[in-house]
Amino acid sequence: MDRYLALKSNFTDTPVLFIDRRAAQQDLHHCAQQRLRAAADLLETLTCLNFRQADTKDTTHIIQALYLLVQDGCDLLENTRIQ
């Protein structure tokens, strides 16, 4: 197994963001939790908003931010071992 795993959220031909598989499992789990919590908090905030006056680009920006947070969190969780 390679030490570094490219995040699935990389959008370039040459990945630049990686997970260090030798990092402490607790640290990987904490990073995953942090990203997923940020996504959940953003979604909670969005439930209180009215999108009738939102610009299409704003919606795209929100979706992109949520995708990055959730995908990175999932990549991190997939690389933690239950002990």
Side-chain angles (χ1 to χ4, degrees):
M1 178 183 340
D2 292 332
R3 177 174 179 172
Y4 297 102
L5 176 70
L7 290 172
K8 292 177 187 164
S9 60
N10 282 305
F11 289 111
T12 61
D13 292 334
T14 306
V16 294
L17 299 173
F18 298 88
I19 295 171
D20 182 354
R21 290 181 170 172
R22 292 187 191 164
Q25 294 298 299
Q26 179 180 345
D27 292 341
L28 292 172
H29 188 266
H30 179 73
C31 286
Q33 185 178 29
Q34 186 179 41
R35 281 154 179 76
L36 293 172
R37 173 55 42 210
D41 289 348
L42 179 54
L43 284 168
E44 185 175 335
T45 299
L46 293 174
T47 62
C48 302
L49 299 178
N50 183 337
F51 282 97
R52 282 186 222 129
Q53 295 178 336
D55 190 285
T56 319
K57 70 177 181 177
D58 294 330
T59 305
T60 302
H61 293 162
I62 292 167
I63 291 169
Q64 184 178 14
L66 285 167
Y67 168 75
L68 290 172
L69 289 167
V70 172
Q71 185 59 62
D72 290 358
C74 288
D75 285 351
L76 286 157
L77 283 178
E78 287 173 5
N79 285 283
T80 58
R81 295 179 298 279
I82 297 175
Q83 300 184 11

